[in-house]
Amino acid sequence: MDLRRIVSSTKSYKIALAIAIAFLLMLSSISYRQVNNLEKSANLVSSSLMVSKEINYLFSKFNLIEASGYKSLVVNDSTFANTYKDHKSEVETSLLNLSKLTKDIPLQVQFLDTLNQLRDSLDMTFKNLIKYRDQQEGDVDEKLMREVKKMDSIFQQLNNLKLSISQRKETLFKELIIAYKTETFFTPFISLLLVIFSLIVFLLAFRNINNAHKRLKSTQAFIDNIVTNTNYLTTYFKPIRDSNGKVIDFIFEYVSNKIENFTGKSVKEITGKKLSESFPDTFTNGTFEMYVNCLETGNSNDITNHYSFENGEKWLKSAASELEGGVNVNTIDITYEKLRNKNLKKLNENLFIKNTILNNAEVVAKTGSFSWYPHTNVSDLSDNFYRLLGCRPGEFEARFENFKPFIHQDDLANYKKAAAKVIKSGQLKENTYRVINKKGNTRHWRIAGVMIIEDGEEKMIGIIQDITESIKKDKQLKSRNRVLKRINTELESFNRIVSHDLQEPLRKIQMFISLLSEEAEADRLSGKSLVYFGKINDAATRMQMLIKNLLSYSRIESTEENFEEIDLNEILEEIEYNFSESIKDANIDIIKKKLPTIKGINFQMVQLFSNLISNSIKYRNIHNDSKILIEAFKVSKNQIKANFVKTSENYHKIVFSDNGIGFNQQNAEKIFNIFERLHLKTEYSGTGIGLSICKKIIENHHGFIHAKGEPEKGAIFYIYLPV
């Protein structure tokens, strides 16, 4: 039998408490009875003494009456009647007092009845004595003697009664004294026993209560430690009801210190406050209804909601249960889990998308992927790997023995040799071999891969690509490169011819036309002949300019190795100096703002600015004061609405605007085409190459140029160069 378990059990304490209470009640009952009996004994002793005193007083009055009676007979006292009346009145009073004192004592009541009878007889006798004493008849003495004898008899009876009463009184008094002594002996003993037992019970109870208090404090500290260190927020709510008993709100009765981590509010701010005041969102997101349901049904429920607190956005999961007329709620912050699940879901979605993209990319790029465990010879092939062999995905088991028949016999030995090198070196160098697909067509495959360790086991992963078309295109490209090389050689020869052989005859034509014109003037040729010579000279000049511009256009190259820092403000000053005479003759006002420093080719920037300013001078409006505005801004690629491939995050936006003759916006792209002219050569001179050169220069600098125009209002050129 486990005595310790029995002693420490709650049931044992309850039984011991019941026995102690019963014993205390019994001792209390005995003590009460002893005290009550002691009180009764004391009262009886006191009453007996008072009765004894009153009896002595009564019989003393009877003795006085007796003495007065004999005196009246001996000395013939005439005042006896009055004396008797006085003593009789005192006897009556004493008998009345005795009646009150002995009403609860039956034996004494019996003695009192006898006294009353004797008193009545004595009264009658004394009346007769008084009456006979005053008469003068012959037989008066005889009557007096008879009454005297009656009086003697009555007083004798009174004396006997007094003696009997005294004896009985002594006996009763002794009994009362014995009972009183007995009660006075046991009553302190019982009281002392009651006090000692109560003290023992109190000490035991105090010890148990103290031990229980210590255990409670230890348990409370343990619980507080758990509550403090747990991730859960613990709260306890008491309901607020309306006059109909309906729950309309809750009060925070208890809040753990985790509340500050969850909501940014302290325990002091929350405790004793209404739920509706502290967190009104709970009345719109279903939390309040869940608390009410738990309270009314006794069923536990949980709910997950999103909250906006002072310290940020959170997802909280709360589990509620009914507890002693209130609602106990344990809440945990699942924001991280939500975000992790969201991220995981997003990751899975992205992975699915990437797998889909990869599968589609394999189809588009004609590639496939594979994995191979050399030690177990277990392989895995992508769906497009099978398709490139002309098979359905999974048509055969992914093993080398099943793939071997597809390898071209002439490449099989090299394939095995390459696989052996991979196993040995852990790397698969790019290799090319031929396969024969299911339809019997020979295809060229490129393979690359690497060895990795997965779960402690070597694994080869790699990709294959069908490069049959690439090989065909490589052959075509090599053939075209040979043709292009020959064409470039011919173009170089053409450039030499243009730059030397064609310009030399033009210079001679111009020289001879000049000589002929001088001689024609001397011979006084007609004006019409001079006009013809002038047109021939203009045509030769235009042809020379065209050849020069063609050479400039063909020599514009894009080599970033030649890029250098260029201050566009210095370029613009140089151009203004070169065109100073034309600017002055045309009365053009050039308004310029600070331009940026860029990386580029200096002479090309000079040519770009020269062509744009020359273009504005050429196409100025002669009816207005001509103005050219040049300004620059720094913009991000997202601010640029123009549609071109943007390779930089930021660009320099350079704007050339004038108030010249302008152009129709429908020709905005056409003006940048080579040899494209919007006006007759008789109206404006030029070759139609200037803006084409501008476009090529900007493209060489990885930028973009476009224009906006309106007839008779001017033109605007927008240039974007990377920062």
Side-chain angles (χ1 to χ4, degrees):
M1 181 180 294
D2 190 351
L3 184 61
R4 183 180 297 177
R5 184 176 60 84
I6 294 174
V7 170
S8 61
S9 69
T10 305
K11 187 175 181 181
S12 299
Y13 280 118
K14 290 181 179 178
I15 294 172
L17 179 62
I19 293 172
I21 292 173
F23 193 61
L24 281 172
L25 289 174
M26 182 186 73
L27 289 176
S28 299
S29 176
I30 294 172
S31 178
Y32 175 77
R33 189 169 65 251
Q34 292 291 335
V35 172
N36 194 35
N37 290 338
L38 180 61
E39 183 181 3
K40 287 181 179 180
S41 298
N43 290 337
L44 286 174
V45 171
S46 176
S47 177
S48 177
L49 291 173
M50 292 180 69
V51 169
S52 178
K53 179 182 177 183
E54 195 64 37
I55 289 173
N56 289 331
Y57 176 78
L58 178 61
F59 278 96
S60 68
K61 294 302 177 182
F62 277 124
N63 289 333
L64 290 174
I65 290 173
E66 181 181 7
S68 297
Y70 284 119
K71 180 181 178 182
S72 68
L73 291 174
V74 174
V75 295
N76 196 17
D77 186 6
S78 61
T79 62
F80 171 70
N82 293 329
T83 302
Y84 175 69
K85 286 182 180 179
D86 292 336
H87 291 318
K88 181 182 177 183
S89 175
E90 292 173 352
V91 168
E92 291 293 336
T93 301
S94 180
L95 286 173
L96 184 61
N97 290 335
L98 280 174
S99 177
K100 292 179 180 179
L101 291 171
T102 60
K103 63 180 180 178
D104 295 327
I105 307 174
L107 185 60
Q108 297 289 4
V109 171
Q110 183 180 354
F111 287 150
L112 192 58
D113 290 341
T114 304
L115 278 173
N116 285 327
Q117 291 175 4
L118 292 173
R119 182 205 61 187
D120 292 340
S121 298
L122 185 62
D123 183 58
M124 182 62 69
T125 301
F126 275 110
K127 286 181 180 179
N128 289 333
L129 283 174
I130 294 170
K131 183 178 72 171
Y132 293 145
R133 188 195 62 182
D134 295 334
Q135 290 181 2
Q136 298 297 324
E137 297 177 359
D139 57 353
V140 169
D141 292 335
E142 183 180 351
K143 290 179 179 179
L144 283 172
M145 290 302 295
R146 189 172 58 246
E147 293 301 326
V148 170
K149 289 180 179 180
K150 286 183 180 181
M151 185 181 66
D152 291 337
S153 175
I154 290 171
F155 280 115
Q156 184 64 40
Q157 290 180 33
L158 284 172
N159 289 329
N160 292 335
L161 182 59
K162 179 182 178 182
L163 182 60
S164 177
I165 289 173
S166 297
Q167 292 175 349
R168 181 59 186 168
K169 182 184 66 175
E170 286 292 330
T171 303
L172 180 61
F173 186 74
K174 288 180 180 180
E175 291 177 355
L176 289 175
I177 291 299
I178 292 171
Y180 179 77
K181 288 182 178 180
T182 302
E183 296 298 336
T184 54
F185 175 77
F186 282 106
T187 299
F189 177 75
I190 296 298
S191 299
L192 180 61
L193 183 62
L194 178 61
V195 170
I196 293 173
F197 185 76
S198 299
L199 183 61
I200 292 171
V201 171
F202 172 77
L203 290 174
L204 291 174
F206 176 78
R207 189 193 69 174
N208 290 333
I209 291 171
N210 188 49
N211 291 338
H213 180 67
K214 290 180 180 178
R215 289 195 299 271
L216 181 62
K217 285 183 67 176
S218 177
T219 304
Q220 183 66 38
F222 177 70
I223 292 173
D224 289 343
N225 185 54
I226 292 175
V227 171
T228 302
N229 295 301
T230 187
N231 292 327
Y232 282 89
L233 163 65
T234 302
T235 50
Y236 180 72
F237 299 97
K238 278 290 187 181
I240 300 176
R241 301 179 184 271
D242 60 13
S243 56
N244 298 322
K246 182 181 178 182
V247 179
I248 58 174
D249 208 337
F250 288 93
I251 288 182
F252 284 91
E253 284 284 317
Y254 170 80
V255 183
S256 67
N257 57 5
K258 286 291 181 181
I259 189 73
E260 191 163 356
N261 296 338
F262 278 63
T263 67
K265 296 182 179 181
S266 65
V267 174
K268 190 175 181 181
E269 290 180 83
I270 298 297
T271 305
K273 297 295 180 65
K274 292 182 180 180
L275 179 63
S276 58
E277 295 174 355
S278 300
F279 305 107
D281 289 349
T282 55
F283 284 75
T284 57
N285 61 16
T287 304
F288 173 75
E289 289 77 7
M290 190 263 282
Y291 291 171
V292 174
N293 181 263
C294 289
L295 188 63
E296 293 178 348
T297 64
N299 298 328
S300 299
N301 285 302
D302 61 79
I303 192 170
T304 301
N305 277 315
H306 177 263
Y307 295 91
S308 296
F309 295 125
E310 296 175 2
N311 56 353
E313 305 285 324
K314 292 186 184 296
W315 281 93
L316 302 181
K317 182 178 182 180
S318 300
S321 59
E322 189 275 336
L323 179 64
E324 296 183 356
V327 179
N328 183 60
V329 182
N330 289 311
T331 305
I332 188 170
D333 186 347
I334 60 170
T335 307
Y336 175 74
E337 293 180 12
K338 276 283 185 180
L339 293 176
R340 185 175 61 183
N341 292 338
K342 183 179 179 181
N343 292 336
L344 183 60
K345 183 179 179 182
K346 186 176 181 180
L347 184 63
N348 288 334
E349 290 175 354
N350 291 339
L351 183 61
F352 175 77
I353 292 172
K354 288 180 179 179
N355 285 335
T356 303
I357 293 172
L358 180 61
N359 291 333
N360 292 334
E362 285 187 352
V363 174
V364 173
K366 295 183 178 181
T367 61
S369 59
F370 66 90
S371 62
W372 174 47
Y373 293 92
H375 297 292
T376 59
N377 202 26
V378 175
S379 301
D380 183 39
L381 306 178
S382 67
D383 291 346
N384 207 51
F385 194 106
Y386 288 97
R387 294 191 189 100
L388 291 175
L389 293 173
C391 303
R392 299 186 310 276
E395 184 173 331
F396 58 86
E397 186 180 357
R399 300 179 70 86
F400 175 72
E401 292 78 8
N402 298 328
F403 174 64
K404 181 179 176 181
F406 292 96
I407 302 174
H408 197 283
Q409 290 297 318
D410 295 341
D411 295 341
L412 185 58
N414 290 333
Y415 181 85
K416 291 180 179 180
K417 187 177 180 180
K421 286 183 179 180
V422 171
I423 296 173
K424 185 177 181 180
S425 64
Q427 292 184 346
L428 175 61
K429 294 183 179 180
E430 187 176 301
N431 196 7
T432 303
Y433 61 95
R434 290 168 292 174
V435 297
I436 301 173
N437 62 22
K438 194 174 180 180
K439 295 180 179 180
N441 298 324
T442 300
R443 310 295 294 179
H444 293 265
W445 280 15
R446 180 186 291 125
I447 185 171
V450 66
M451 293 293 294
I452 64 172
I453 303 298
E454 185 180 83
D455 298 330
E457 188 176 357
E458 287 187 332
K459 176 183 179 181
M460 178 196 290
I461 56 173
I463 61 170
I464 57 94
Q465 182 181 20
D466 188 334
I467 58 172
T468 307
E469 300 300 325
S470 297
I471 289 176
K472 291 180 180 179
K473 289 179 180 179
D474 284 344
K475 292 179 180 179
Q476 295 174 356
L477 185 60
K478 288 178 181 178
S479 176
R480 290 178 181 177
N481 283 339
R482 287 192 294 271
V483 173
L484 185 60
K485 188 176 182 180
R486 178 177 54 81
I487 293 173
N488 286 335
T489 302
E490 293 175 354
L491 284 175
E492 289 176 2
S493 300
F494 174 76
N495 283 336
R496 284 194 298 272
I497 292 171
V498 169
S499 60
H500 296 94
D501 299 343
L502 286 180
Q503 290 200 58
E504 180 62 25
L506 281 174
R507 283 193 293 270
K508 288 181 179 180
I509 290 172
Q510 289 175 324
M511 182 185 67
F512 287 124
I513 289 173
S514 177
L515 293 173
L516 288 173
S517 296
E518 291 176 359
E519 291 181 3
E521 288 177 1
D523 294 339
R524 292 181 177 85
L525 293 176
S526 65
K528 192 172 183 179
S529 298
L530 291 174
V531 170
Y532 290 155
F533 281 119
K535 288 184 178 182
I536 293 171
N537 187 50
D538 290 341
T541 302
R542 284 198 305 275
M543 188 172 181
Q544 188 179 32
M545 185 180 297
L546 178 61
I547 292 170
K548 183 179 179 181
N549 287 337
L550 278 173
L551 288 172
S552 297
Y553 185 81
S554 64
R555 288 171 180 172
I556 295 174
E557 297 178 352
S558 177
T559 305
E560 292 190 12
E561 294 176 357
N562 298 327
F563 280 16
E564 59 182 333
E565 295 285 340
I566 301 173
D567 187 350
L568 296 181
N569 297 287
E570 295 178 359
I571 297 292
L572 184 57
E573 289 177 2
E574 181 182 344
I575 302 304
E576 284 185 282
Y577 178 78
N578 294 338
F579 285 89
S580 58
E581 292 296 329
S582 299
I583 293 171
K584 184 177 180 181
D585 293 341
N587 193 24
I588 294 175
D589 184 15
I590 297 179
I591 303 170
K592 56 185 178 179
K593 296 186 179 180
K594 186 172 178 59
L595 300 180
T597 298
I598 67 166
K599 285 187 177 182
I601 300 173
N602 191 282
F603 83 88
Q604 291 186 8
M605 288 295 108
V606 171
Q607 192 168 12
L608 170 67
F609 275 63
S610 297
N611 288 357
L612 290 173
I613 290 177
S614 174
N615 195 71
S616 294
I617 294 172
K618 184 190 302 182
Y619 296 107
R620 69 184 183 279
N621 192 331
I622 60 175
H623 303 294
N624 298 327
D625 293 334
S626 298
K627 292 182 180 180
I628 300 175
L629 174 62
I630 306 170
E631 53 187 341
F633 312 93
K634 187 177 180 180
V635 296
S636 67
K637 68 177 183 180
N638 297 325
Q639 294 176 287
I640 303 174
K641 296 180 180 179
N643 187 18
F644 68 97
V645 177
K646 302 174 182 69
T647 58
S648 178
E649 291 294 324
N650 298 294
Y651 283 81
H652 294 297
K653 179 181 179 181
I654 303 170
V655 182
F656 281 80
S657 59
D658 60 47
N659 61 345
I661 63 174
F663 59 87
N664 287 321
Q665 186 60 31
Q666 63 186 16
N667 297 320
E669 294 184 10
K670 189 177 181 181
I671 60 176
F672 292 104
N673 294 336
I674 192 169
F675 301 129
E676 192 69 57
R677 296 172 58 90
L678 301 182
H679 306 280
L680 296 175
K681 61 184 178 181
T682 56
E683 296 177 324
Y684 296 96
S685 62
T687 59
I689 298 177
L691 291 179
S692 300
I693 292 173
C694 291
K695 182 179 180 181
K696 191 170 184 181
I697 291 172
I698 295 299
E699 288 176 349
N700 286 346
H701 288 75
H702 311 295
F704 182 75
I705 183 171
H706 69 103
K708 288 184 180 180
E710 189 174 349
E712 304 304 326
K713 289 189 177 182
I716 304 174
F717 291 89
Y718 298 95
I719 299 171
Y720 297 97
L721 293 172
V723 174

